[in-house]
Amino acid sequence: MSVQSTHPLKPEAPGLPPGIPESPSCQRRHTLPASEFRCLTPEDAVSAFEIEREAFISVLGICPLYLDEIRHFLTLCPELSLGWFEEGCLVAFIIGSLWDKERLMQESLTLHRPGGHIAHLHVLAVHRAFRQQGRGPILLWRYLHHLGSQPAVHRAALMCEDTLVPFYERFSFHTVGPCAITVGSLTFTELHCSLRGHPFLRRNSGC
């Protein structure tokens, strides 16, 4: 993959599944957009890390990605990220990379495989001031729609704690078994989602 694009992608807004609220208004101000979704760039790395650090360190004691790793992925594959901005400020984001094996492995935490067809979702994080507002589900739905528009990406994969499995099942992820990746004493469940024939590809824009 090449370095960052000078024109970040702006994924089309998909319709949302039942039970998930619509996104904020699509109206735009004369200066900064009131609410905008776009792929991240390396310049967004510090803001993303600050959100992630606050969200994960207090709960797990670790971050899925540290600052250098965020910069690494946003340089190699910015098109596999998606950020939600409010008046120019990042409030939620997802960062992914490509993987070329059937299951996630320890090295998939730090590698991007350009020839792969699986999008590995490394992290989904929401700023503390914007939590409990349904932003996580909206962002994930838009991200899957964005991935579905990329012909090379056939499937999404992630690992999570058992308590989060029902959340991801709402988006057609299914459990494939215990994940081979461990972080210290933490263990995870691996989930996959096929991007072929997924309901979001048949829905119209919600904006």
Side-chain angles (χ1 to χ4, degrees):
M1 301 294 290
S2 60
V3 296
Q4 71 179 73
S5 168
T6 56
H7 300 284
L9 299 174
K10 292 185 178 180
E12 176 189 359
L16 299 172
I20 296 179
E22 295 288 347
S23 62
S25 170
C26 292
Q27 294 179 350
R28 297 290 184 261
R29 298 183 180 181
H30 293 298
T31 54
L32 294 172
S35 186
E36 177 188 26
F37 294 85
R38 66 165 172 81
C39 295
L40 301 177
T41 72
E43 286 72 28
D44 299 310
V46 172
S47 296
F49 180 61
E50 289 300 319
I51 293 172
E52 181 194 19
R53 182 170 61 179
E54 188 281 328
F56 286 91
I57 288 290
S58 61
V59 177
L60 298 178
I62 59 168
C63 283
L65 296 175
Y66 286 90
L67 183 56
D68 287 347
E69 295 166 332
I70 292 174
R71 287 195 176 112
H72 172 71
F73 287 125
L74 295 185
T75 298
L76 291 179
C77 48
E79 71 281 1
L80 296 174
S81 68
L82 185 63
W84 188 340
F85 293 80
E86 292 287 355
E87 299 187 1
C89 295
L90 182 65
V91 301
F93 69 92
I94 295 174
I95 294 175
S97 65
L98 287 179
W99 184 239
D100 58 356
K101 303 289 192 300
E102 280 299 308
R103 297 289 298 271
L104 298 177
M105 303 167 63
Q106 203 74 30
E107 53 264 40
S108 62
L109 293 178
T110 56
L111 296 180
H112 168 61
R113 300 292 196 190
H117 298 291
I118 297 175
H120 174 201
L121 281 62
H122 292 275
V123 58
L124 186 165
V126 179
H127 190 284
R128 62 181 179 276
F130 294 87
R131 292 176 197 151
Q132 306 302 318
Q133 299 177 17
R135 291 178 185 260
I138 292 172
L139 180 62
L140 180 57
W141 194 255
R142 285 175 175 262
Y143 182 75
L144 292 174
H145 182 272
H146 173 51
L147 291 180
S149 70
Q150 301 185 41
V153 183
H154 300 168
R155 190 192 318 166
L158 59 84
M159 63 183 201
C160 69
E161 296 179 284
D162 289 346
T163 55
L164 291 175
V165 169
F167 170 78
Y168 289 106
E169 287 178 338
R170 294 167 58 190
F171 299 88
S172 298
F173 279 88
H174 65 276
T175 299
V176 296
C179 187
I181 299 170
T182 59
V183 180
S185 61
L186 298 174
T187 59
F188 305 94
T189 297
E190 184 171 339
L191 297 96
H192 290 188
C193 173
S194 173
L195 299 176
R196 297 294 170 257
H198 195 285
F200 56 67
L201 297 176
R202 300 192 297 270
R203 294 178 181 271
N204 296 321
S205 170
C207 284

